[in-house]
Amino acid sequence: MKTTARPARRQVLALGPYSAWAVLFILVPLLFVAYYAFTDDNFRFTLEHIQRFFTATSSAEGGEVHTYLLIFWRSLKLALISTAICLVLGYPIAYIMARAKPKVQKTFMTVIMIPMWMNFLIRTYAWMTILQDTGILNNFLAALHLGRIHIIGTEAAVVIGMVYDYFPYMILPLYSIMAKMDVKLLEAARDLGCSSFGVLRRVVWPLSLPGVISGVNMVLIPSISTFYISQKLGDGKFFLIGDAIEGQYVANNLHFAAAIAFVLMVVLLACMALLNHLAAQRTEGGGL
């Protein structure tokens, strides 16, 4: 009994620093958000701010007025599009990386991580320079006599910025899962007559689901709550939920800003729980 108790104590001690960090920097801030969301300026309990989210309207730049539900839907739509693009592009790249030689894997990893070494604001400003009507892309198209295209200030520009900034967060969890796959399972599937597509659908995809879920969460959450990308690449024309939270915070409406953040947090947690549940059901039920 003593020998089994010692490893258990060591595990508790090893988890201690992380647990303290998680409580201090994750749980406590979330509790403060919930506290502010359900209190008024005198810190008395109220549902006013939560109700206001579902009934009030907000004015964006240009004088347009939208309900917060519409703003949330637009944010969710752009975030889902960005996440889907990251998944479609990142999945094959992660698979190629996982099957490549160690030196090639390191090269891939370096290329993917290099943009992360630069400041987030600098990367966003760089895309402004590229996508502007007189920017690098349009000058290149004009040189080829293909005509200029207007991208900056559109939803497409916002999606491009999201995909570029959050793409590594999709590849890394996918790569970490695929790199640990047993190659013998793939060989066994082929020996049993499975085609290349069959191996991907019946073996690789089910085994990589934890990485897919993790990557989707890591891209979807920052995408849906972003505000700087929409302000710069969207030219302030697309008011997203992150802009709404920032606007209320700047206006010192801390309780309403917390209410918006609280609703967003609940929706995201529900989506994450649903994704994890569906992935667990698919794995346990053998639905390969």
Side-chain angles (χ1 to χ4, degrees), residues 1-9:
M1 295 296 293
K2 292 182 178 180
T3 56
T4 57
R6 288 179 180 176
R9 292 177 181 175

Side-chain angles (χ1 to χ4, degrees), residues 97 174 194:
M97 286 177 58
L174 285 172
C194 206

Side-chain angles (χ1 to χ4, degrees), residues 141-222:
L141 293 175
L144 297 177
H145 304 286
L146 296 177
R148 298 177 180 269
I149 56 176
H150 178 69
I151 302 179
I152 198 76
T154 65
E155 290 186 350
V158 177
V159 170
I160 290 173
M162 289 180 180
V163 171
Y164 177 77
D165 283 314
Y166 304 128
F167 188 57
Y169 299 134
M170 178 64 74
I171 290 183
L172 294 180
L174 285 172
Y175 165 73
S176 65
I177 292 294
M178 292 181 178
K180 299 175 184 177
M181 285 185 186
D182 192 348
V183 182
K184 295 180 180 178
L185 294 175
L186 309 182
E187 296 174 351
R190 292 191 180 94
D191 292 339
L192 293 172
C194 206
S195 62
S196 298
F197 179 75
V199 172
L200 176 64
R201 184 173 68 89
R202 296 176 178 273
V203 182
V204 178
W205 174 255
L207 292 177
S208 64
L209 270 181
V212 172
I213 299 300
S214 179
V216 167
N217 289 333
M218 292 179 67
V219 174
L220 181 64
I221 292 175

Side-chain angles (χ1 to χ4, degrees), residues 47-90:
L47 295 176
E48 175 187 355
H49 303 297
I50 301 295
Q51 294 173 348
R52 181 182 172 188
F53 173 84
F54 294 98
T55 58
T57 58
S58 176
S59 298
E61 291 186 17
E64 295 184 0
V65 178
H66 300 292
T67 64
Y68 285 99
L69 288 177
L70 182 60
I71 295 171
F72 176 78
W73 164 245
R74 179 189 293 151
S75 304
L76 180 61
K77 179 186 70 173
L78 296 182
L80 288 174
I81 293 173
S82 303
T83 303
I85 294 174
C86 287
L87 179 59
V88 171
L89 296 179

Side-chain angles (χ1 to χ4, degrees), residues 217-244:
N217 289 333
M218 292 179 67
V219 174
L220 181 64
I221 292 175
S223 295
I224 199 173
S225 58
T226 187
F227 62 92
Y228 194 79
I229 295 176
S230 60
Q231 291 177 1
K232 297 304 178 182
L233 298 183
D235 204 17
K237 298 178 181 178
F238 300 100
F239 202 61
L240 303 183
I241 200 69
D243 299 306

